[in-house]
Amino acid sequence: MKLRTALSLGAAFASVPAPAFAQASTSLKAEAAASVDAKAKLVQEMVDSVFSFAEPGFQEFKTSEYLTGILEKNGFKITRGVAGIPTAWTATWGEGGPLIALGSDIDGLLGLSQTPGVPYLKPQVAGAPGHGEGHNSGMPLIVAAALAAKEVMVKHGIKGRLMLWPGVAEELLATKAYYVRSGLFKGVDASIFTHVGSGFGTGWGDMGNNGMVSVEYNFKGKTSHAAGAPWAGRSALDGVELMDIAWNMRREHLPVTQRSHYVITNGGGQPNIVPGDATVWYYFREQKFDTIRELYETGNTISEAAAKATGTTVTRRVLGYAAPNHGNRPLAEAAQKNIELVGMPKWTADDQAFAKAAQTANALKLKPLETEVGKISTPDTRGESMGGGSDDIGDIMWTVPTITIRFPSNVPSMIGHNVTSAIAMATPIAHKGAVAGAKAVAMTVLDIATTPKLVTEAKTYFTNVQTKEVKYDPVLTAEDKPAIWLNEKIMKEMRPEMEKYYYDPAKYPTYLDQLGIKYPTLTTTAPK
């Protein structure tokens, strides 16, 4: 689908004020846009395929095999298993010029299986993972952008190096800090990350979200017969429960910006046996490096106190870490101009009707698909933050100049980390949004490759503004390792059934065609 021709792209460019530094020429950007348009079918196939794989964190084996296969066929060198993570990889191309990192997340979420293209909730495989955050669209966008930028760079002899990488287990916030620790971004000059949304834009400065520590507390006690000799036992579950009670008491006296949540992942075997082992998994979220660490240490202290009170012992291991997000101003301003140049996808009446049906079926706020690009997000326009979610792209943002571009592949009002966010993610809405995002990324890559001053300004902002007084300070120790065992058991159980639903683009034009779903399906209740 061609969003803009080269001619209209040139006219649009003329109407968009350029930043102070020079940019790649209008003709180069028009070529990149045309190259992405030529890959629209590939984008659709990638978006649909990754949706069908629906792999959760650390189990993205099929997804990674599929994406790296496409890149390898197009001249990229693949390095697998980076940072000690089996599903992590890099794909590199080019010689000389700036090194530009391009990434997006690839993991799904547990229990969010959803049949795409129907407005109501309908699991594809009951209890299986699904793309309830839309991560199936991000790396297809990045791959298309990289292939388009590469074509233009080769044709015109533009120097530059590309390094593509996947966000593995982002929903667990469990890998990017390890990428950084392993030196994956050493020598990178500029970094572009993408994330799905319903709008199209980027931002700079402190993004107002929370950083986070993911930590597991393991309590050890002594088993005994719960009826015959309970006095001989020491319940590890008592330690877990006392920690949770104490933490909930402490909440009243914590800053309002903090967020903390937990699940008991092991509470024992059966009621008549005093549990000798019990485990609780916590997320501690705060806005600054020092307050994240302080919240984490508070949790550690409470765990140790609970162990002493119950006659048990406790150990802990960090499963993941996410730094607060901070976008690079010069890169964001350059990218925003390209986003405005590309503009929003041209939604059809069918697209709008499907979006309304999805909102109606799930009792969500009615809001049409957006038709205008939003303004760049800045500290002034965002206002004061009271905390919230986390994204481990922050670890890369505090390592090299980085921005996040949000692209419009989903429907407004859908709930994040929820099955509703999977409904549209293998429909024309997702495909069009990824194509638009790929154009903006490819154009920004060309800006970076052809404009040394942009690279210099990005690094100056990173050094003299972002990190002048605040330094990257994760809680990871040298002993902490990626939690690559997570989700292994559930995928071993679920994958045989999920494989029946893998998309076959050689046989079917789209995944909806394979599933026999007419677009747009507007029925708002499941058939009885």
Side-chain angles (χ1 to χ4, degrees):
M1 122 215 52
K2 293 188 177 181
L3 298 184
R4 304 207 181 192
T5 64
L7 182 61
S8 65
L9 187 65
F13 181 79
S15 68
V16 177
F21 41 76
Q23 287 186 309
S25 69
T26 306
S27 60
L28 289 178
K29 292 186 178 184
E31 286 182 34
S35 180
V36 172
D37 276 330
K39 295 170 180 57
K41 174 58 178 170
L42 175 61
V43 170
Q44 171 263 308
E45 291 181 0
M46 289 190 291
V47 168
D48 288 1
S49 293
V50 178
F51 182 94
S52 75
F53 302 149
E55 295 171 305
F58 292 117
Q59 304 305 315
E60 310 97 337
F61 293 100
K62 182 66 175 177
T63 301
S64 290
E65 177 188 14
Y66 171 73
L67 293 171
T68 55
I70 292 171
L71 289 164
E72 203 160 26
K73 289 178 182 177
N74 283 276
F76 283 75
K77 178 184 177 182
I78 309 300
T79 303
R80 296 178 172 85
V82 298
I85 300 166
T87 55
W89 46 268
T90 59
T92 55
W93 170 84
E95 295 181 1
L99 176 57
I100 306 164
L102 305 172
S104 198
D105 300 322
I106 59 173
D107 57 323
L109 283 152
L110 297 182
L112 299 188
S113 176
Q114 168 65 20
T115 302
V118 295
Y120 47 85
L121 302 189
K122 182 184 178 183
Q124 203 159 43
V125 177
H131 275 292
E133 183 70 3
H135 284 177
N136 61 297
S137 56
M139 278 309 295
L141 179 165
I142 290 294
V143 171
L147 296 182
K150 173 177 174 282
E151 286 179 9
V152 175
M153 293 166 74
V154 169
K155 179 179 178 181
H156 296 277
I158 298 169
K159 293 292 186 181
R161 295 164 290 153
L162 304 180
M163 181 185 80
L164 279 64
W165 57 272
V168 167
E170 187 277 336
E171 303 296 3
L172 300 168
L173 299 164
T175 57
K176 296 187 185 76
Y178 291 104
Y179 288 175
V180 169
R181 191 179 71 177
S182 70
L184 196 66
F185 290 84
K186 185 177 180 180
V188 167
D189 294 292
S191 169
I192 301 173
F193 181 73
T194 66
H195 197 283
V196 64
S198 58
F200 198 9
T202 188
W204 61 268
D206 183 343
M207 303 305 291
N209 63 342
N210 282 348
M212 193 206 75
V213 183
S214 168
V215 57
E216 183 180 71
Y217 294 96
N218 300 285
F219 285 79
K220 296 285 186 181
K222 183 180 179 182
T223 62
S224 184
H225 192 292
W231 49 83
R234 296 292 182 270
S235 173
L237 180 58
D238 285 351
V240 165
E241 290 186 305
L242 188 57
M243 178 185 178
D244 295 344
I245 291 168
W247 183 261
N248 288 326
M249 292 287 188
R250 188 64 176 266
R251 285 180 194 274
E252 181 184 359
H253 311 289
L254 295 172
V256 295
T257 49
Q258 76 86 27
R259 301 289 188 276
S260 51
H261 4 271
Y262 59 84
V263 291
I264 298 174
T265 54
N266 174 23
Q270 60 189 61
N272 63 333
I273 299 175
V274 176
D277 295 280
T279 305
V280 61
W281 183 7
Y282 269 79
Y283 279 9
F284 298 117
R285 305 183 196 251
E286 253 291 0
Q287 290 188 321
K288 307 294 181 184
F289 287 107
D290 56 347
T291 56
I292 297 167
R293 185 178 292 275
E294 182 179 342
L295 199 67
Y296 170 54
E297 294 296 346
T298 300
N300 295 343
T301 299
I302 287 176
S303 73
E304 292 160 6
K308 288 181 180 179
T310 56
T312 60
T313 59
V314 64
T315 58
R316 61 181 178 268
R317 60 179 172 182
V318 172
L319 301 182
Y321 179 82
N325 287 191
H326 191 113
N328 185 272
R329 183 171 184 173
L331 291 180
E333 290 177 344
Q336 181 69 22
K337 299 303 179 186
N338 292 323
I339 291 167
E340 293 169 3
L341 183 58
V342 173
M344 291 293 289
K346 303 303 181 185
W347 308 119
T348 65
D350 284 347
D351 297 332
Q352 292 287 8
F354 181 75
K356 183 178 180 180
Q359 294 160 352
T360 301
N362 296 284
L364 300 171
K365 182 179 179 181
L366 297 182
K367 184 179 180 182
L369 295 170
E370 297 182 25
T371 57
E372 297 293 333
V373 169
K375 295 184 181 299
I376 190 169
S377 177
T378 72
D380 290 336
T381 61
R382 284 190 294 274
E384 185 177 2
S385 171
M386 298 306 291
S390 310
D391 191 322
D392 58 358
I393 187 59
D395 295 87
I396 297 167
M397 287 177 157
W398 288 93
T399 305
V400 295
T402 303
I403 56 169
T404 293
I405 293 176
R406 291 192 171 268
F407 60 95
S409 278
N410 214 330
V411 173
S413 302
M414 299 296 106
I415 305 167
H417 292 195
N418 184 272
V419 68
T420 59
S421 285
I423 287 172
M425 288 312 303
T427 70
I429 294 170
H431 307 149
K432 293 174 184 179
V435 167
K439 291 181 179 182
V441 170
M443 292 176 185
T444 307
V445 167
L446 294 177
D447 282 337
I448 296 167
T450 60
T451 315
K453 189 175 181 181
L454 175 56
V455 175
T456 300
E457 291 291 336
K459 291 181 178 179
T460 298
Y461 177 89
F462 179 81
T463 302
N464 295 345
V465 179
Q466 180 181 345
T467 63
K468 182 178 181 179
E469 297 180 355
V470 179
K471 306 299 181 184
Y472 180 53
D473 182 30
V475 304
L476 294 185
T477 68
E479 290 71 37
D480 293 321
K481 306 293 183 186
I484 60 175
W485 63 88
L486 291 175
N487 297 326
E488 182 178 4
K489 181 179 178 181
I490 191 168
M491 281 305 288
K492 189 174 183 180
E493 296 172 355
M494 291 287 183
R495 193 181 291 276
E497 187 65 23
M498 294 170 65
E499 286 176 341
K500 299 175 183 178
Y501 293 91
Y502 285 178
Y503 173 45
D504 186 352
K507 292 183 177 179
Y508 300 95
T510 72
Y511 193 36
L512 296 187
D513 289 315
Q514 178 171 323
L515 298 175
I517 296 170
K518 180 183 177 182
Y519 183 81
T521 294
L522 303 180
T523 305
T524 56
T525 56
K528 294 183 179 180

